[in-house]
């Protein structure tokens, strides 16, 4: 028998071993009296959306056998070459009306509904939770909550059942919501699937440690490097439900994503990643950055974005990328450019108040937006502090200290911005002044409940916490400064940090989730934003990476 024929059987046998009890038998209760036990077998080949077979029987063993027969027949019939499988047994079933389910969906954040749904008592038209998400069946981009999408259901029904499926027309019609007990198997191993919570449907992670975090960093940084084209430009991002490219571009995110990739490369030292970084930085320097003459006669440089915009944050993240590259490689080729970028930032600051202007028009350099988004301020200060750390040029420190006069007066800490956390952590390394430490502590101290409770992965929260933690550790080590920590609940701070780090695994495209999307191999190993239709954009991956790299260093 060829390997193509034995592999599916081997996958099923390994799945059964995990799913069965100690005595090797399968057990489970009937989903409904009409359906009996219901077993789902989901094949993934990496290149296309998962294929599914269902078996029903009076017992779990009978349902398993029928599901296996159907699944293996499916492999033969369509010439499928599966490399992974999910096996799931319908477990907790909750009957309700269609109207009640719609009301529940209206109270659920979009893509955060974590139950399967059967539209009939026999479970002949039953959809798993990740299947619903992967085909955007309860997603409408026009509202924030989950909402039935009839067009996507019909499209999915044609592929899965060979016929159109429609939602019930009568709110009194019965439906059955359900969870499953399951297992996922591929060449790397076999894992029980998490049954409940925001990690439902993903492999269980009994050990959350440096090794596990490093695996996420390695695969996500490989993914990000793989998005850099031979030209040095990125594939900007994907909407994976239907494998659609995001048709826009943002040069600021090009630079900041390259910075995050450099942070990861510091760990991985991957030749493939380094080659991608080199292409990206060359594209940044040669195609995206423009040199300009400032009114005082000096020569500066600005990152140019769509609409001939010069964004304060754009220059800042360019500095972050070029400084990190210089530190890691010892290659000083970008040093003159870094000075020009820093001069460009300085020219956007009011020397009296310290306030930055956020957006200029190119090439006139007149003000387009005095203020656009709080991130730009923190990015600018952080970028200049990183350059100061490299060169010790006092000009850059002076700009940052002047900026902080404005930040403190304007109570910028109320924004709880991760970039402000980064920059104040860096500033206090060189200027350990009480007012700066107080700003940094205020930026996080009353935000811990949000970090603990936020339902979305919100990856910048881990960045905020990791930068704050570095500052807190230095405060704790200095008896003269330690009293500043009296207003910070250290136990809650530590719990919030650990919770947020672990929670980021819920935004990782595990292969057992990616298999339900249109092009699994394109997205597996990346990170996504769930409530934006599982969007994978370079800056989404960037923020997960930066936080987890810092967290890995902390664990080590």
């Amino acid at each position: 028998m060829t390997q193509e024929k034995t592999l599916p059987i081997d996958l099923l046998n390994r799945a059964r071993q995990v799913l069965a009890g100690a005595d090797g038998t399968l057990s489970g209760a009937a989903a409904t009296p009409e359906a009996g036990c219901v077993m789902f077998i989901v094949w993934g080949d990496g290149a296309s959306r998962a294929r599914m077979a269902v078996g029903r029987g009076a017992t779990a063993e009978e349902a398993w056998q029928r599901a296996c027969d159907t699944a293996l027949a499916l492999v033969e019939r369509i010439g499928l070459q599966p490399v992974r499988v999910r096996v799931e047994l319908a477990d907790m079933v909750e009957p309700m009306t269609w109207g009640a389910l719609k009301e529940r969906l209206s109270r659920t954040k979009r893509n955060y509904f974590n139950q399967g749904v059967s539209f009939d008592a026999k479970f002949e038209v039953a959809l798993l939770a990740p299947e619903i998400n992967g085909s955007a069946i309860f997603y409408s981009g026009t509202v924030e909550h989950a909402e039935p999408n009839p067009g996507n259901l019909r499209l999915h029904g044609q592929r899965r059942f060979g016929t159109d499926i429609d939602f019930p027309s009568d709110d009194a019609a019965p439906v059955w919501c359900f969870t499953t007990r399951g297992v996922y198997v591929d060449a790397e191993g076999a894992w029980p699937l998490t049954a409940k919570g925001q990690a439902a449907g993903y492999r269980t992670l009994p050990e959350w440690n440096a090794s596990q975090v490093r695996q996420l960093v390695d695969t996500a940084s490989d993914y990000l490097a793989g998005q850099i084209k031979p030209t040095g430009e990125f594939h900007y991002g994907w909407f994976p439900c239907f494998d659609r490219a995001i048709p826009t571009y943002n040069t600021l995110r090009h630079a900041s994503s390259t910075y995050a990739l450099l942070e990861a490369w510091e760990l991985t030292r991957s030749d493939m990643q380094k080659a991608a970084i080199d292409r990206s930085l060359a594209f940044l320097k040669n195609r995206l950055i423009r040199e300009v003459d400032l009114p005082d006669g000096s020569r500066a440089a600005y990152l140019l974005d769509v609409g001939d915009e010069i964004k304060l944050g754009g220059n800042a993240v360019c500095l972050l990328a070029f400084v990190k590259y210089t530190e890691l490689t010892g290659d000083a080729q970008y040093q003159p450019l870094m000075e020009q970028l820093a001069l460009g930032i300085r020219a956007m600051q009011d020397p009296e108040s310290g306030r930055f202007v956020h957006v200029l028009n190119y090439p006139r350099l007149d003000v387009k937006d005095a203020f656009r988004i709080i991130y730009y301020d923190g990015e600018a200060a952080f970028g200049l502090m990183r350059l100061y750390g490299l060169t010790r040029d006092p000009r850059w420190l002076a700009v940052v200290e002047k900026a902080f006069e404005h930040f403190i007066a304007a109570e910028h800490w109320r924004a709880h911005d991760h970039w402000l956390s980064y920059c104040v952590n860096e500033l206090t390394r060189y200027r350990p002044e009480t007012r700066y430490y107080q700003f940094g502590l205020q930026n996080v101290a009353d935000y811990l409940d949000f970090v603990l409770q936020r339902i979305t992965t919100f990856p910048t929260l881990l960045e905020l916490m990791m930068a704050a933690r570095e500052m807190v550790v230095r405060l704790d080590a200095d008896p003269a400064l330690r009293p500043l920590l009296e207003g910070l609940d250290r136990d809650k701070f530590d719990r919030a940090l650990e919770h947020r780090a672990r929670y980021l695994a819920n935004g990782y495209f595990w292969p057992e989730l990616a298999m339900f999307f249109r092009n699994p191999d394109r997205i597996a190993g990346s990170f996504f934003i769930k409530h934006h239709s599982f969007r994978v954009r370079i800056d989404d991956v960037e923020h997960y990476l930066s936080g987890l790299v810092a967290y890995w260093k902390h664990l080590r």
Side-chain angles (χ1 to χ4, degrees), residues 95-98 118-121 168 170-176:
M96 65 177 65
T97 65
W98 173 237
S118 178
F119 293 101
D120 66 298
D170 183 355
D171 279 357
V175 295
W176 291 259

Side-chain angles (χ1 to χ4, degrees), residues 65-79:
Q65 194 54 58
R66 289 179 177 173
C68 284
D69 291 344
T70 304
L72 292 171
L74 176 65
V75 168
E76 286 289 324
R77 186 173 75 252
I78 66 174

Side-chain angles (χ1 to χ4, degrees), residues 47-351:
S48 59
R49 204 183 297 275
R51 296 284 185 172
M52 189 176 304
V54 182
R56 289 168 286 274
T59 65
E61 286 283 1
E62 189 176 324
W64 164 261
Q65 194 54 58
R66 289 179 177 173
C68 284
D69 291 344
T70 304
L72 292 171
L74 176 65
V75 168
E76 286 289 324
R77 186 173 75 252
I78 66 174
L80 190 67
Q81 296 184 6
V83 294
R84 54 184 57 95
V85 70
R86 285 175 68 123
V87 177
E88 301 188 57
L89 178 65
D91 191 12
M92 305 296 292
V93 179
E94 181 184 7
M96 65 177 65
T97 65
W98 173 237
L101 176 54
K102 286 196 297 182
E103 197 276 330
R104 180 180 291 183
L105 293 174
S106 74
R107 293 183 283 106
T108 304
K109 194 169 186 67
R110 59 189 185 190
N111 289 331
Y112 277 79
F113 185 75
N114 286 332
Q115 290 178 289
V117 177
S118 178
F119 293 101
D120 66 298
K122 293 184 178 180
F123 272 60
E124 290 178 341
V125 182
L127 307 175
L128 293 170
E131 181 183 9
I132 290 170
N133 284 334
S135 291
I137 290 167
F138 286 160
Y139 180 88
S140 170
T142 59
V143 294
E144 292 295 317
H145 58 79
E147 183 173 79
N149 187 314
N152 288 347
L153 177 63
R154 284 192 289 272
L155 189 66
H156 185 74
Q158 282 290 347
R159 186 175 187 276
R160 166 90 190 274
F161 301 102
T163 186
D164 283 347
I165 299 173
D166 290 305
F167 292 115
S169 56
D170 183 355
D171 279 357
V175 295
W176 291 259
C177 293
F178 64 95
T179 59
T180 63
R181 177 167 59 89
V183 59
Y184 167 74
V185 181
D186 63 17
E188 303 300 319
W191 295 268
L193 295 173
T194 305
K196 296 179 181 178
Q198 294 308 321
Y202 308 158
R203 66 189 65 187
T204 55
L205 296 175
E207 294 185 7
W208 177 250
N209 53 28
S211 176
Q212 179 63 71
V213 174
R214 179 61 187 270
Q215 177 192 337
L216 301 184
V217 169
D218 287 353
T219 56
S221 54
D222 277 345
Y223 169 84
L224 193 56
Q227 298 306 295
I228 299 175
K229 304 174 188 178
T231 60
E233 188 178 22
F234 279 92
H235 292 286
Y236 187 53
W238 309 94
F239 288 117
C241 290
F242 302 105
D243 194 33
R244 291 175 184 153
I246 297 175
T248 55
Y249 208 76
N250 182 304
T251 63
L252 186 156
R253 291 169 179 155
H254 175 115
S256 61
S257 298
T258 308
Y259 169 61
L261 184 55
L262 278 155
E263 290 184 294
W265 181 71
E266 184 177 6
L267 276 56
T268 68
R269 296 294 170 166
S270 157
D271 290 342
M272 183 274 285
Q273 292 180 15
K274 175 59 164 56
I277 288 165
D278 288 342
R279 295 196 304 275
S280 176
L281 292 179
F283 187 85
L284 192 60
K285 176 180 182 292
N286 298 326
R287 297 285 300 278
L288 303 180
I289 292 173
R290 301 286 190 274
E291 292 187 12
V292 298
D293 290 318
L294 295 176
D296 66 3
S298 61
R299 190 80 166 156
Y302 284 113
L303 177 68
L304 193 61
D305 216 328
V306 175
D308 286 337
E309 287 189 344
I310 291 169
K311 299 172 181 174
L312 175 69
N315 268 37
V317 291
C318 286
L319 280 181
L320 292 177
F322 289 129
V323 168
K324 190 70 174 177
Y325 174 86
T326 306
E327 288 177 340
L328 294 180
T329 65
D331 181 349
Q333 64 170 305
Y334 295 116
Q335 212 134 6
L337 178 59
M338 287 188 279
E339 171 149 342
Q340 292 180 329
L341 290 165
L343 288 171
I345 292 176
R346 189 176 71 170
M348 295 176 77
Q349 184 181 48
D350 177 352

Side-chain angles (χ1 to χ4, degrees), residues 11-30:
L11 290 169
L12 292 174
N13 288 339
R14 291 165 59 203
R16 183 193 167 93
Q17 289 175 1
V18 177
L19 200 60
D23 60 356
T25 61
L26 294 169
S27 62

Side-chain angles (χ1 to χ4, degrees), residues 203-222 263-265 267-268 273 462 466 497-506 508 510 525-527 541 543-556:
R203 66 189 65 187
T204 55
L205 296 175
E207 294 185 7
W208 177 250
N209 53 28
S211 176
Q212 179 63 71
V213 174
R214 179 61 187 270
Q215 177 192 337
L216 301 184
V217 169
D218 287 353
T219 56
S221 54
D222 277 345
E263 290 184 294
W265 181 71
L267 276 56
T268 68
Q273 292 180 15
L462 182 59
M466 293 311 305
L497 187 152
E498 292 297 333
H499 166 76
R500 190 49 48 179
R502 173 62 182 81
Y503 201 73
L504 290 199
N506 297 341
Y508 180 73
W510 300 99
S526 68
F527 285 102
V541 180
H543 290 300
Y544 281 94
L545 264 183
S546 290
L548 288 172
V549 166
Y551 181 67
W552 181 86
K553 291 179 178 179
H554 157 59
L555 291 180
R556 295 283 289 181

